[in-house]
Amino acid sequence: MNAVPMGNESATRITPGNALRPEDIALEVRTGLAKPTEDVAEYALRLGDDGLILAQRLGHWISRGPELEEDVALGNIALDQLGHARSFLTYAGGAWDKTEDDLAYFRREHEFRSAAIFEQPNGDFAATIARQFIVSYYQFELYRRLTESSDATLAAIAAKAVKEVDYHRDHSAQWVLRLAGGTEESRTRMIQGLKQMWPYVAELFQDDELTTRLAETGAAVEPSSLKADFDRLTGEILAEAELEVPDGPAAPGGGRHGRHSENLGYLLAEMQVLAREHPGASW
Amino acid sequence: MEANAPHNADRQAADSQAKDRQDADGQANFDRVIAEDSRIEPKDWMPDAYRKTLLRQISQHAHSEIIGMQPEANWISRAPSLKRKAILMAKVQDEAGHGLYLYSAAETLGQTRDKMMADLIAGKARYSSIFNYPALTWADMGAIGWLVDGAAICNQVPLCRASYGPYGRAMVRVCKEESFHQRQGFEILLELAHGTPEQKHLAQDAVNRWYAPALMMFGPPDDDSPNSRQSMAWNIKRFSNDELRSRFVGMMVEQVRVLGLTLPDSEIRFNEDTKKWEHGPLDWNEFHEVLAGRGPCNAQRLERRREAHDDGAWVREAAAAYAAKQSLKTKEYAA
Amino acid sequence: MNESKGPEATTDRNAWGLWEVFVRSSRGLSHVHAGSLHAPDAAMALRNARDLYTRRNEGVSIWVVPADAIAASDPDSKGSFFESPQGKDYRHATYYTKSEGVKHL
């Protein structure tokens, strides 16, 4: 083993080179090797919730995709997102002595910290692709920078996630091009999908006190600092697809502080129902 | 025109003779390959009945994987822990993959996947009747994995040696991937059986409901399975329905003890004379009813597949249109 | 990735073409036929192959080939096509028995 420990003294799996699993983080949290500050935990909760809600949405496509090959593709993306969510939530839970499942299944709606775009309904395939296009370009810029985080665990989770999200970017871009340049119907639907999802872009890049504090310590990055690269890279694909960047008004946001759209309640009700019927049970 | 007529008749006769000779050569070669327990490959001559039997079996198998995604996919959103959610998602996704491997194998016999899918959606094709039962509780995810995938694996392992090359190769891949499916089901039941009394009750209830349908997955009793003998002669099937069923019962008897649950069959016994496991009577009327489309979920399963297929039509069309435009652009550029 | 242009889109407007997939399981080994899939074009075929045939770390490189671009030998001419090598045992080291047991040979 020639892995160089990052910030921690003992041999740890938390290094950017490792394919980090949620179980590894759980172990480090339990043994006290990794312990997030209150701020870092709050921040990890946001990223974890983003991934969890998106995975919940994408999971619905499995057995309903436009072609069997796409069932498998969307399934892979959902699994990646769920993996990131589990890692972030497990780490966040370390601050409050809670497990990933405590956080996923036993928080109430206003305690979730996901941004509004993640809970937007799947709609048709074009709407799902529009949502994927936005979130994967956002997540890529975020995780790319987060690999440099002063918090070793956040950096390690990001190092695994950024590679996976890079593929999600490619998947969504390929489909934006095909739907925009396919038939008249697919182009209309793609334009509609982007129009539907674009109001939720602004929230992703809003700074607040938490991100400002964390950016100062080098643990996190200011969301606003990702915007220029996001605009440039999504702009290139949209230009190639001969699509305009939608210019409607931005949705109000507030997800980072527990104010969600009407969609989240239903999603959580379904996700949590079984676990809540059997509190304390093991599965 | 008339002057040519005798010529044409001669030609036809000659053609027909040539075809007969080819068929005779082909049959001889086919018989030799089967006798040597070697493999038939897509471009080889094969008897029409062999092709038809395989096409029916492989496409039904593929349909079963695809329809079989549904009862489990319904629980992805409600999985009670994130680990279980990830496992279930991966499993259902695998089933889509397995359907794809099998459709590919069937396509080598000269049928397009589109046609097979159209037949399925039109209700003209069959699939394993077990997927027409509802998955009512989380424990069903355990019972399906343990009993249904267990029975499927029992059936599939010998199919890895099926005489048709592409089928055997698809089954090798499927079996390799499915080894985790049965285990995850077993572990779901194990957790429940050792959980709260309520959880244990869920587990037992699920085993009670899935046991008989799982046994019927091996197909009708040998006396009532007219096609089995031919399939065995062709080295497609290696063991009879009853033989596989008996083996499966033996394995379940062992495993259910580890679970701390019981099988809902008081007549299970090991026959010392035949050295085979025996089980209680199965309701074959119900089996045939469900197979004929009159099961609890037949209509809903097909409707869901139809909906996904129809909703996806514009996407498939768009991607094909885009590809056509791109290749046209490349040609114009080259010209 | 070398994404050469695929075959003509299939005649049925909705149907995606059939592609054969070859996977290199690790560096130093050949690409081996893994199976087939449907895709509208080469770029998507590669991506579908990645999702379908390398979900469990099975590969480090993928080739996709339009199924109808593969030329195959005719199985009916098996006898004559593959007859020549039969009986030419002297092409194999095992033919040379007298030198058995001689070291480094």
Side-chain angles (χ1 to χ4, degrees):
Chain A
M1 292 283 278
N2 54 4
V4 182
M6 302 273 295
N8 284 315
E9 292 75 22
S10 54
T12 169
R13 266 193 68 88
I14 297 184
T15 64
N18 262 328
L20 201 60
R21 301 167 310 152
E23 287 84 358
D24 300 321
I25 296 173
L27 184 68
E28 307 255 334
V29 166
R30 261 203 315 279
T31 53
L33 283 172
K35 172 115 180 129
T37 64
E38 183 77 18
D39 272 0
V40 166
E42 273 293 331
Y43 183 71
L45 204 54
R46 293 180 178 186
L47 307 190
D49 285 348
D50 287 353
L52 176 60
I53 303 304
L54 183 59
Q56 184 75 2
R57 282 288 187 225
L58 288 174
H60 187 76
W61 276 107
I62 304 175
S63 76
R64 294 181 177 89
E67 189 52 286
L68 294 171
E69 278 83 355
E70 204 49 35
D71 273 20
V72 181
L74 289 171
N76 273 348
I77 294 174
L79 278 170
D80 287 344
Q81 290 288 336
L82 184 56
H84 310 159
R86 294 183 60 199
S87 291
F88 282 125
L89 292 181
T90 300
Y91 186 44
W96 311 300
D97 201 19
K98 288 193 186 304
T99 65
E100 53 173 348
D101 288 336
D102 293 336
L103 292 174
Y105 292 97
F106 294 94
R107 271 182 303 155
R108 288 180 295 170
E109 188 180 334
H110 69 270
E111 295 171 296
F112 275 78
R113 292 290 176 264
S114 47
I117 190 163
F118 298 95
E119 71 211 40
Q120 293 310 305
N122 285 339
D124 63 5
F125 186 69
T128 288
I129 289 299
R131 191 182 60 203
Q132 275 310 108
F133 181 62
I134 294 165
V135 304
S136 59
Y137 275 81
Y138 156 73
Q139 287 180 325
F140 180 80
E141 294 308 320
L142 171 63
Y143 294 152
R144 188 164 70 80
R145 288 165 178 79
L146 215 52
T147 58
E148 313 273 314
S149 169
S150 59
D151 185 288
T153 308
L154 287 184
I157 299 171
K160 163 120 176 98
V162 71
K163 292 185 214 153
E164 295 177 344
V165 167
D166 191 16
Y167 183 77
H168 305 175
R169 278 199 316 178
D170 175 71
H171 174 267
S172 66
Q174 293 294 334
W175 274 115
V176 166
L177 292 174
R178 278 163 184 74
L179 297 184
T183 62
E184 210 170 301
E185 180 183 7
S186 69
R187 185 171 177 81
T188 309
R189 285 178 185 259
M190 191 66 245
I191 290 169
Q192 181 55 31
L194 287 167
K195 205 173 137 195
Q196 222 171 299
M197 296 294 173
W198 216 264
Y200 304 101
V201 168
E203 182 188 10
L204 296 171
F205 300 99
Q206 277 165 11
D207 303 334
D208 64 6
E209 285 174 15
L210 178 70
T211 57
T212 305
R213 275 202 307 278
L214 285 171
E216 277 164 15
T217 69
V221 284
E222 289 274 36
S224 60
S225 69
L226 314 174
K227 188 69 168 40
D229 282 339
F230 171 88
D231 285 344
R232 183 173 53 79
L233 292 170
T234 52
E236 282 172 14
I237 300 294
L238 292 177
E240 193 183 336
E242 295 171 25
L243 293 170
E244 309 266 320
V245 179
D247 61 353
R256 300 301 186 203
H257 302 277
R259 293 188 303 278
H260 299 283
S261 70
E262 289 177 344
N263 298 303
L264 189 63
Y266 294 103
L267 183 149
L268 293 180
E270 189 176 355
M271 183 176 86
Q272 297 179 333
V273 61
L274 180 59
R276 286 183 175 223
E277 268 177 36
H278 304 264
S282 154
W283 302 96
Chain B
M1 286 299 266
E2 259 179 48
N4 280 334
H7 261 310
N8 279 346
D10 282 354
R11 163 93 50 86
Q12 273 168 15
D15 282 356
S16 143
Q17 270 173 12
K19 183 162 187 314
D20 286 350
R21 225 180 5 256
Q22 267 175 9
D23 284 356
D25 289 353
Q27 181 76 52
N29 187 57
F30 176 85
D31 292 343
R32 183 181 53 78
V33 170
I34 296 294
E36 286 170 356
D37 200 0
S38 181
R39 299 291 179 267
I40 300 292
E41 294 294 343
K43 294 196 168 172
D44 289 337
W45 185 96
M46 60 188 91
D48 282 345
Y50 177 81
R51 185 185 297 273
K52 265 188 207 142
T53 298
L54 274 171
L55 194 54
R56 192 182 60 233
Q57 181 171 340
I58 302 174
S59 61
Q60 283 179 6
H61 199 157
H63 296 328
S64 302
E65 295 280 356
I66 298 308
I67 296 291
M69 294 169 73
Q70 292 183 26
E72 291 174 290
N74 292 344
W75 281 92
I76 290 176
S77 63
R78 290 171 291 173
S81 77
L82 296 186
K83 183 178 91 175
R84 292 284 168 212
K85 191 191 284 290
I87 292 170
L88 189 60
M89 236 187 236
K91 180 184 185 241
V92 180
Q93 186 206 32
D94 266 355
E95 279 151 14
H98 298 171
L100 283 174
Y101 305 154
L102 287 159
Y103 282 127
S104 298
E107 279 183 283
T108 63
L109 292 161
Q111 180 83 286
T112 65
R113 190 166 104 196
D114 271 21
K115 171 79 169 71
M116 291 183 263
M117 194 55 83
D119 285 349
L120 173 65
I121 287 170
K124 286 194 235 162
R126 285 186 168 176
Y127 55 87
S128 185
S129 66
I130 198 152
F131 300 116
N132 291 317
Y133 291 88
L136 299 174
T137 73
W138 171 253
D140 290 25
M141 298 304 99
I144 290 176
W146 179 50
L147 291 170
V148 178
D149 289 306
I153 292 169
C154 239
N155 246 332
Q156 288 166 358
V157 168
L159 287 174
C160 295
R161 294 189 293 124
S163 59
Y164 188 57
Y167 192 27
R169 290 191 287 275
M171 291 322 301
V172 168
R173 191 171 276 276
V174 169
C175 285
K176 220 186 269 175
E177 298 189 351
E178 270 196 2
S179 54
F180 101 77
H181 293 188
Q182 194 186 12
R183 281 194 183 199
Q184 65 87 35
F186 184 85
E187 290 190 8
I188 287 175
L189 289 177
L190 195 66
E191 282 280 354
L192 294 175
H194 292 84
T196 64
E198 211 185 342
Q199 282 179 303
K200 182 164 184 176
H201 171 76
L202 284 176
Q204 185 61 59
D205 168 63
V207 170
N208 291 351
R209 282 182 289 113
W210 290 95
Y211 169 75
L215 289 200
M216 292 197 269
M217 282 175 73
F218 293 96
D222 293 348
D223 302 340
D224 193 21
S225 180
N227 299 328
S228 280
R229 191 166 315 162
Q230 179 61 74
S231 279
M232 287 176 78
W234 278 330
N235 291 345
I236 298 173
K237 245 174 118 80
R238 299 283 177 167
F239 303 99
S240 78
N241 296 352
D242 287 334
E243 168 70 32
L244 288 170
R245 188 166 17 243
S246 154
R247 263 193 224 178
F248 177 66
V249 169
M251 289 188 246
M252 296 301 103
V253 166
E254 288 287 314
Q255 294 173 11
V256 81
R257 272 191 219 122
V258 183
L259 288 174
L261 300 171
T262 55
L263 295 174
D265 185 345
S266 58
E267 295 178 46
I268 292 183
R269 66 179 198 111
F270 185 70
N271 185 325
E272 288 293 346
D273 299 335
T274 60
K275 301 284 175 211
K276 283 187 197 314
W277 284 91
E278 293 173 355
H279 54 83
L282 295 166
D283 184 354
W284 291 105
N285 269 341
E286 178 182 302
F287 176 81
H288 289 294
E289 279 293 291
V290 176
L291 202 60
R294 292 183 287 273
C297 300
N298 299 56
Q300 137 194 1
R301 300 278 188 254
L302 279 191
E303 182 53 29
R304 163 104 156 255
R305 183 89 296 269
R306 183 181 307 129
E307 224 175 80
H309 191 75
D310 291 352
D311 287 353
W314 69 270
V315 179
R316 296 191 298 276
E317 196 180 321
Y322 178 84
K325 283 186 208 169
Q326 291 300 109
S327 83
L328 202 64
K329 263 189 209 163
T330 320
K331 267 198 209 122
E332 276 168 8
Y333 184 74
Chain C
M1 270 185 277
N2 172 23
E3 292 169 6
S4 60
K5 290 289 167 244
E8 299 293 306
T10 34
T11 44
D12 178 347
R13 286 202 311 160
N14 282 346
W16 293 352
L18 188 65
W19 298 74
E20 298 300 330
V21 180
F22 299 81
V23 176
R24 183 202 292 285
S25 58
S26 70
R27 287 183 174 277
L29 298 179
S30 305
H31 287 78
V32 174
H33 186 235
S36 49
L37 52 74
H38 288 257
D41 53 43
M44 293 310 278
L46 271 176
R47 285 157 181 82
N48 291 346
R50 174 255 193 203
D51 287 326
L52 196 57
Y53 289 104
T54 65
R55 292 200 300 290
R56 289 177 169 80
N57 269 325
E58 293 96 331
V60 296
S61 164
I62 297 174
W63 289 346
V64 291
V65 182
D68 56 14
I70 292 177
S73 61
D74 179 2
D76 292 339
S77 63
K78 185 176 191 287
S80 46
F81 203 71
F82 296 111
E83 186 52 39
S84 172
Q86 305 292 333
K88 296 191 174 63
D89 300 358
Y90 47 82
R91 286 193 198 270
H92 301 274
T94 47
Y95 177 78
Y96 302 91
T97 51
K98 286 185 181 156
S99 45
E100 231 168 61
V102 180
K103 280 184 182 169
H104 309 300
L105 191 66

